[in-house]
Amino acid sequence: MNAGPVCSGAAILGLLLGFANQIAADPPLLGESLRREASIVFDSNRSGSTEIFAIDKQGIMARMITSFSGGVFGRVPDWSPDCSQIAYQSNSADRDNYDIYVMAPDGSGVRRLTTHPSHDGSPAWSPDGSEIAFASDRGEGEAVWIVGFDGKGLRRLTPEPALGFSPAWSPDGERIAFIAGDKNNWDLFVVQTDGSDLQNLTNTPDRHEGGPAWSPDGSEILFDALAEGHWEIYVMEADGTKERQLTRNRAMDARPSWSPDGSEIVFHSTRDFGSDGDSVVYSEVELYVMRANGSGVRRLTENRFFDAHPDWCSSDPSHAQGLKHVRWPSR
């Protein structure tokens, strides 16, 4: 039987190196498909500064969107509903203070939405793209605020004296989930967008919750929780019932985000770097994807830096046309 041609190890290596050089010399060879699918944005310090990146769900190649220097950072990106804009927090105007900014997927058209000496962060778009909820420590403690896409119409959402952070807008635009509490306990709340009907969905005095994310159909809420020294990912019905734990690791699994069809979840984790005794090592965080039931976990990034706060475009990723202009990361 003819076994077919056999290549030597040197020949194979030569082919691989040649292919790698070709990609490095001409990034567009990766083509239209990657541009259409680079639908997950995240922040990373892999370039020496914390920047906003985009990556496809196969983890083939991350593309750097922002380019900061001199102690300026971009963090916690959030796609607009149609994937035409990205909101994020940055200290580009004041090194000691974060504000909310919006940009196109190629990093152009940057606009500053908030201008306040307090810290503003964790932006979350409304489903119609007209407003952005965010956390701010202006006033008495950290609370959830809302501002229009044009930077106007600023208002506080969480009623006095309720505080709050990590807002997430429901797909129907009627409610916002967020985290509130004190140093001893954080719970997951929901409130109407006019600030009424505040509800505590978790009410767990022995656990911290964080990072809520509504499912695309609005029927469930993902969140992370700190119990017994480790952050894990959970899901529950939108009314707070039928809670299920999706991950189980002596590490940190956190900041989940749904895929557009609700079949997968992207999150950041230290699971491949273990823990130091009972303390999780946070210096190396990577992105992972799993099925909605917690199975089939696969690693999306691998660079031994801090890749975190992923957000999956909830619309057709081909809408993010600006990604064709995104810069490649420095090595």
Side-chain angles (χ1 to χ4, degrees):
M1 179 181 294
N2 186 350
V6 177
C7 293
S8 68
I12 294 174
L13 179 60
L15 289 171
L16 291 174
L17 288 175
F19 181 65
N21 290 335
Q22 185 180 28
I23 291 177
D26 188 8
L29 284 176
L30 289 178
E32 193 75 19
S33 62
L34 176 60
R35 184 169 76 230
R36 290 196 303 268
E37 296 177 4
S39 54
I40 298 171
V41 289
F42 62 100
D43 58 53
S44 175
N45 65 355
R46 62 176 67 187
S47 66
S49 176
T50 303
E51 309 281 357
I52 307 299
F53 286 76
I55 195 170
D56 66 300
K57 69 177 184 178
Q58 285 78 32
I60 296 173
M61 182 65 72
R63 295 185 173 214
M64 189 167 72
I65 299 176
T66 58
S67 182
F68 298 123
S69 62
V72 175
F73 306 106
R75 292 189 170 116
V76 197
D78 189 70
W79 281 111
S80 64
D82 64 356
C83 301
S84 67
Q85 299 282 314
I86 298 170
Y88 63 101
Q89 65 183 59
S90 179
N91 62 342
S92 61
D94 181 350
R95 302 296 186 271
D96 298 321
N97 177 58
Y98 280 93
D99 281 302
I100 305 300
Y101 291 77
V102 172
M103 65 180 173
D106 64 353
S108 66
V110 174
R111 292 190 299 113
R112 184 181 179 185
L113 293 189
T114 64
T115 56
H116 196 275
S118 297
H119 289 292
D120 297 337
S122 300
W125 290 85
S126 64
D128 65 1
S130 67
E131 295 182 303
I132 294 175
F134 63 97
S136 177
D137 62 2
R138 61 184 73 193
E140 296 291 330
E142 192 166 22
V144 177
W145 294 70
I146 294 175
V147 67
F149 175 62
D150 58 2
K152 301 178 181 178
L154 178 70
R155 69 184 191 277
R156 176 172 172 150
L157 173 68
T158 48
E160 299 281 4
L163 305 180
F165 55 95
S166 295
W169 223 298
S170 66
D172 62 9
E174 296 182 359
R175 294 167 292 169
I176 291 178
F178 65 96
I179 305 300
D182 56 33
K183 64 180 181 179
N184 299 313
N185 177 52
W186 300 341
D187 284 325
L188 196 159
F189 291 77
V190 293
V191 66
Q192 296 293 312
T193 54
D194 63 0
S196 65
D197 195 21
L198 180 67
Q199 300 178 46
N200 186 338
L201 294 189
T202 53
N203 196 20
T204 50
D206 59 343
R207 192 178 71 181
H208 285 320
E209 279 89 43
W214 295 82
S215 62
D217 64 3
S219 65
E220 295 181 305
I221 301 176
L222 279 171
F223 62 97
D224 50 53
L226 176 63
E228 300 181 357
H230 304 286
W231 287 95
E232 303 289 357
I233 294 175
Y234 296 76
V235 66
M236 64 182 176
E237 299 293 309
D239 62 1
T241 62
K242 299 181 181 179
E243 180 184 297
R244 305 186 307 280
Q245 184 172 346
L246 298 182
T247 64
R248 297 179 186 275
N249 280 282
R250 288 184 59 82
M252 174 189 68
D253 292 337
R255 296 294 303 202
S257 176
W258 296 91
S259 65
D261 63 1
S263 66
E264 294 182 295
I265 297 164
V266 62
F267 62 100
H268 70 223
S269 177
T270 61
R271 60 175 53 208
D272 282 334
F273 306 106
S275 61
D276 181 10
D278 291 328
S279 299
V280 176
V281 178
Y282 291 104
S283 59
E284 295 177 351
V285 180
E286 301 290 354
L287 302 187
Y288 295 78
V289 173
M290 63 181 173
R291 299 188 186 98
N293 64 4
S295 66
V297 177
R298 58 187 173 84
R299 188 167 169 178
L300 190 64
T301 63
E302 188 168 357
N303 58 69
R304 302 190 72 84
F305 285 98
F306 194 96
D307 294 343
H309 306 113
D311 184 55
W312 207 321
C313 175
S314 60
S315 183
D316 180 350
S318 65
H319 292 171
Q321 292 298 320
L323 283 172
K324 65 184 178 181
H325 302 302
V326 171
R327 291 177 292 276
W328 290 74
S330 302
R331 298 263 179 190

